[in-house]
Amino acid sequence: MRKNIYNYLLLVVVATMILGSCQKNDLPLDGAQSKQRATALQKDILSALHDTNDGWVLMLQGLNANIRTAMPVLLKFDTLTGDVRTRTLFSKDVTSSKFLLSASTGVPLLSFSTFSFISQTYTAANTAITDFFFKVLEVSKDSITIQPLRKGNIYQSEGGALIKLYKASSARMKWASDLLNSTATGPNVFTQASLFGKDLEIRLKSTFAADSIRSRTYFDSWGTSITVVKNNQPITRTYPVLNPIVIEYYGAYPIAPTATPLNVNTIVGEGLIYWQPTTALTPAEYFITGPNAIINFLKTDYLLVKSVTANSVEVYAVDANGNICISGTIGL
């Protein structure tokens, strides 16, 4: 009996040693497999960035959780020089800066240099990221998935929202590529004097709401204060071609007879209406309370201008997948 027990224990010990040996071989402790995966992914990224002449469209999303839209940005990478050329809706000018692809904790890290569009916009505008470092999570034929290294400010926990880059030549992104590559001058609300000083109705239809978005607004000029506003608003410091106007905006519909509108500083340019809350200027109603109220109401921090007439502005906005999610008019 004791002999049988001894044999059984010996068998268990031998089996355990064999199993332990297999586990040690299958799960290396030196991280070799992780390094191999990161190296392979880094190679795929460089290949993807290099193998397109049309570039990539980055769908930039805002900080406010109520925002349902994303703004397209065209990025063209030169993997030999480390340059990235950028074109945005804020300006038709092409800006150039540096990017770097380096090793990270298990995944490659895509970094943009200081004073690039990425750093300027994330620092100055209404966005969710204040650093310029992104983990690259996935590369496919037509898209790259990246994630900010931090959730917002650099002292916050790791891992922000997932952001997609789509190949500009894909059918999904053709509209964005055409829009951002166009050298033609787009409609500019700032130059449409016939729209100012009138009661205008906001009439928008969105894919994420059962009812149409309706309110009333009134376009007005900053007059002699325009230079002060432009010199202190972050986005107009970065892009001087943009101009600020004031709109009187009602935050509820139907509008009560006793309702008082908010005064909202609004940035306009070629084909763009944009709201940017900022603490750089006062009063708060114009630069913080008002912009946040209209963003929360419309569920977007921008509207693209499709056309302008003497009496109305036709607008739209897109989501993170590049699909139109808001369309409608502001006008009589």
Side-chain angles (χ1 to χ4, degrees):
M1 181 69 177
R2 289 182 178 177
K3 184 177 180 180
N4 290 338
I5 294 174
Y6 173 79
N7 290 336
Y8 174 75
L9 292 175
L10 181 62
L11 182 62
V12 171
V13 170
V14 172
T16 302
M17 291 176 64
I18 294 173
L19 181 61
S21 176
C22 290
Q23 290 176 333
K24 183 177 180 180
N25 291 334
D26 292 341
L27 300 173
L29 299 179
D30 61 0
Q33 290 184 358
S34 177
K35 290 179 181 178
Q36 290 174 1
R37 287 193 296 270
T39 300
L41 183 57
Q42 186 166 336
K43 184 178 179 181
D44 290 342
I45 299 161
L46 283 172
S47 178
L49 295 179
H50 179 75
D51 290 343
T52 174
N53 293 323
D54 299 305
W56 294 82
V57 178
L58 167 68
M59 299 305 295
L60 189 63
Q61 294 178 283
L63 173 63
N64 190 322
N66 288 323
I67 293 176
R68 307 293 184 89
T69 58
M71 187 177 293
V73 178
L74 184 64
L75 303 173
K76 291 186 177 182
F77 297 89
D78 188 328
T79 57
L80 297 178
T81 63
D83 292 318
V84 55
R85 302 176 75 234
T86 307
R87 178 169 281 167
T88 75
L89 293 169
F90 296 115
S91 170
K92 291 292 185 182
D93 295 335
V94 177
T95 60
S96 183
S97 59
K98 293 291 184 179
F99 78 96
L100 178 66
L101 191 63
S102 58
S104 180
T105 308
V107 293
L109 195 68
L110 179 62
S111 308
F112 293 92
S113 66
T114 304
F115 302 118
S116 69
F117 164 78
I118 300 295
S119 63
Q120 288 173 335
T121 304
Y122 285 158
T123 301
N126 186 34
T127 52
I129 305 106
T130 52
D131 55 17
F132 333 126
F133 307 100
F134 301 85
K135 295 181 291 184
V136 183
L137 303 183
E138 184 180 13
V139 180
S140 68
K141 180 181 178 181
D142 291 319
S143 69
I144 299 174
T145 304
I146 62 176
Q147 184 182 41
L149 189 62
R150 297 290 176 187
K151 293 178 180 176
N153 295 317
I154 58 175
Y155 52 79
Q156 291 184 324
S157 60
E158 186 171 332
L162 299 183
I163 300 174
K164 286 277 192 179
L165 284 81
Y166 295 100
K167 191 172 286 187
S169 57
S170 68
R172 176 196 294 270
M173 285 293 115
K174 187 179 185 306
W175 69 270
S177 181
D178 290 345
L179 179 67
L180 293 166
N181 280 316
S182 173
T183 56
T185 302
N188 195 327
V189 174
F190 187 76
T191 63
Q192 303 297 319
S194 60
L195 290 168
F196 286 70
K198 297 179 180 179
D199 282 325
L200 305 172
E201 189 178 3
I202 301 173
R203 300 183 297 274
L204 304 177
K205 180 61 181 175
S206 64
T207 60
F208 46 79
D211 299 324
S212 296
I213 300 170
R214 295 184 66 188
S215 187
R216 198 167 81 230
T217 190
Y218 182 99
F219 289 2
D220 204 356
S221 170
W222 271 104
T224 57
S225 299
I226 187 172
T227 302
V228 174
V229 176
K230 286 192 70 167
N231 289 343
N232 289 279
Q233 181 86 16
I235 201 68
T236 50
R237 284 205 311 266
T238 303
Y239 300 102
V241 295
L242 300 174
N243 285 293
I245 65 172
V246 181
I247 67 170
E248 291 184 353
Y249 152 76
Y250 292 85
Y253 195 91
I255 300 165
T258 57
T260 302
L262 284 171
N263 292 293
V264 183
N265 183 55
T266 302
I267 307 300
V268 293
E270 291 184 3
L272 179 69
I273 300 174
Y274 181 67
W275 294 278
Q276 180 191 57
T278 177
T279 57
L281 291 159
T282 57
E285 177 184 333
Y286 284 78
F287 300 102
I288 301 176
T289 310
N292 277 325
I294 200 167
I295 288 169
N296 290 336
F297 182 72
L298 299 180
K299 309 302 183 190
T300 182
D301 56 356
Y302 78 93
L303 291 169
L304 300 179
V305 179
K306 187 174 181 179
S307 65
V308 175
T309 69
N311 295 317
S312 67
V313 184
E314 187 178 2
V315 295
Y316 67 102
V318 296
D319 62 21
N321 295 315
N323 300 317
I324 294 178
C325 61
I326 299 176
S327 60
T329 61
I330 302 172
L332 298 178

